[in-house]
Amino acid sequence: MKYCILTAGLAVAACSIAQPALAATGNVTFNGTVAAICTLVVTNGSGTMTVSPDLQSLSSHNAGGVAGTITATTTGNVAISIGAPTAITVPPADVTPITWAPTYSVAGAHTVAETGASSNLSTPGVDTVTVHLTGTKTGSDIFAAGNYSATVTVTCQ
Amino acid sequence: MLRSLAIPFLGMGLAASPASAQSMSPMRGEVTSFTDAFAVRVFPSNPYNKKIRIDVRVYDQNFQPVDAKIAPDSFMLGAEASRPVLVVVPFDGNNERKVRICTESVPFPNEQTQIKAQICGKFLGQRRF
């Protein structure tokens, strides 16, 4: 009997030792917000305009012309647009009016056909923005020999 | 004025912790001010692998220049670097004002057609009495 009681006592002690600790749980909540972000990297800022055979168009679209390119990376919910050219220089011999038309197209995560208007990039992605500039003469006016230059601003907002 | 500016600074600062390869953050914001001006802190970034010059400009909704205090308004920024710029915009007698704060990279010279990249954030300042 004593043996049995002792055995039982050991069993109780063993149970007390092996009793699992109360499990404590906790949750960690993570939150994050990605704001509207736009990065423009000018990958080719050396656009080149060439003159058309009729000498009335000076454009990066003409044969031998080179467009500017920009890589646009955005989280979405932004708009891209192009401004009127600034810092325009023409040779002294050119005294007739020129109509300048900057345009751009977008390819990549978004597709925007060549336009001069603003375009929404509502979804995230990486795009190549191709920038063109065209100067046009009308009537009997033609471009003169010399150097022409202009600055085109591409805006992401 | 200092007290009212400190509140929007904190809020904008938390939302705008700078990272590499961003041209400017934040690009959206609303600021409440109890004075005749409101302040925004933006972080222009240089995503290039070389040093460039950056200009910061403030425009209204029609892209007309706004007479704001920008510190600094033009600076050199190292490769993949970012720095804070403080912009203080007067209300000019209005109760609210919408402005665009733009980071403009200066084109590399000696090219026929120069491309200028401009990142603009839209900000609304609201005046409380």
Side-chain angles (χ1 to χ4, degrees):
Chain A
M1 184 66 181
K2 278 186 178 178
Y3 179 76
C4 290
I5 292 172
L6 180 59
T7 304
L10 287 173
V12 170
C15 288
S16 299
I17 292 170
Q19 185 179 6
L22 292 175
T25 61
N27 296 324
V28 178
T29 303
F30 290 90
N31 293 296
T33 301
V34 178
I37 292 171
C38 187
T39 300
L40 297 180
V41 176
V42 179
T43 50
N44 180 21
S46 58
T48 302
M49 299 181 290
T50 58
V51 72
S52 62
D54 65 1
L55 307 181
Q56 288 197 304
S57 168
L58 182 67
S59 175
S60 53
H61 276 299
N62 292 335
V66 178
T69 54
I70 291 176
T71 298
T73 305
T74 175
T75 57
N77 195 27
V78 299
I80 197 161
S81 59
I82 194 165
T86 58
I88 298 170
T89 61
V90 302
D94 190 336
V95 294
T96 56
I98 305 170
T99 301
W100 295 100
T103 57
Y104 71 95
S105 60
V106 177
H110 310 84
T111 301
V112 177
E114 189 168 346
T115 181
S118 178
S119 302
N120 291 322
L121 305 180
S122 56
T123 56
V126 180
D127 295 287
T128 297
V129 181
T130 303
V131 181
H132 285 282
L133 181 62
T134 298
T136 306
K137 300 271 191 182
T138 58
S140 60
D141 297 341
I142 59 174
F143 283 94
N147 295 322
Y148 293 79
S149 66
T151 298
V152 174
T153 301
V154 175
T155 302
C156 188
Q157 61 180 333
Chain B
M1 172 133 184
L2 286 177
R3 184 183 174 193
S4 65
L5 290 177
I7 297 171
F9 283 177
L10 177 61
M12 300 307 290
L14 290 175
S17 50
S20 62
Q22 289 180 194
S23 289
M24 190 182 79
S25 65
M27 291 184 68
R28 305 285 185 270
E30 294 186 14
V31 179
T32 300
S33 174
F34 298 93
T35 70
D36 56 358
F38 66 96
V40 177
R41 181 170 287 165
V42 296
F43 293 83
S45 296
N46 172 14
Y48 299 92
N49 58 6
K50 58 184 175 182
K51 186 168 65 175
I52 62 171
R53 191 165 74 87
I54 283 180
D55 292 339
V56 177
R57 300 287 182 261
V58 181
Y59 303 99
D60 66 11
Q61 290 181 284
N62 299 315
F63 271 101
Q64 296 303 307
V66 170
D67 187 20
K69 294 179 181 175
I70 307 167
D73 62 352
S74 183
F75 51 91
M76 299 297 292
L77 196 57
E80 298 185 0
S82 177
R83 66 152 300 162
V85 173
L86 177 62
V87 179
V88 179
V89 182
F91 281 107
D92 278 350
N94 300 311
N95 289 335
E96 68 174 35
R97 192 167 195 187
K98 294 179 180 177
V99 295
R100 287 181 173 86
I101 299 174
C102 299
T103 295
E104 301 175 356
S105 62
V106 178
F108 303 116
N110 303 322
E111 291 162 356
Q112 189 185 43
T113 302
Q114 298 181 347
I115 309 294
K116 183 164 72 173
Q118 183 183 57
I119 308 294
C120 296
K122 298 177 180 178
F123 298 91
L124 170 65
Q126 294 178 309
R127 190 177 187 184
R128 295 288 182 264
F129 297 95

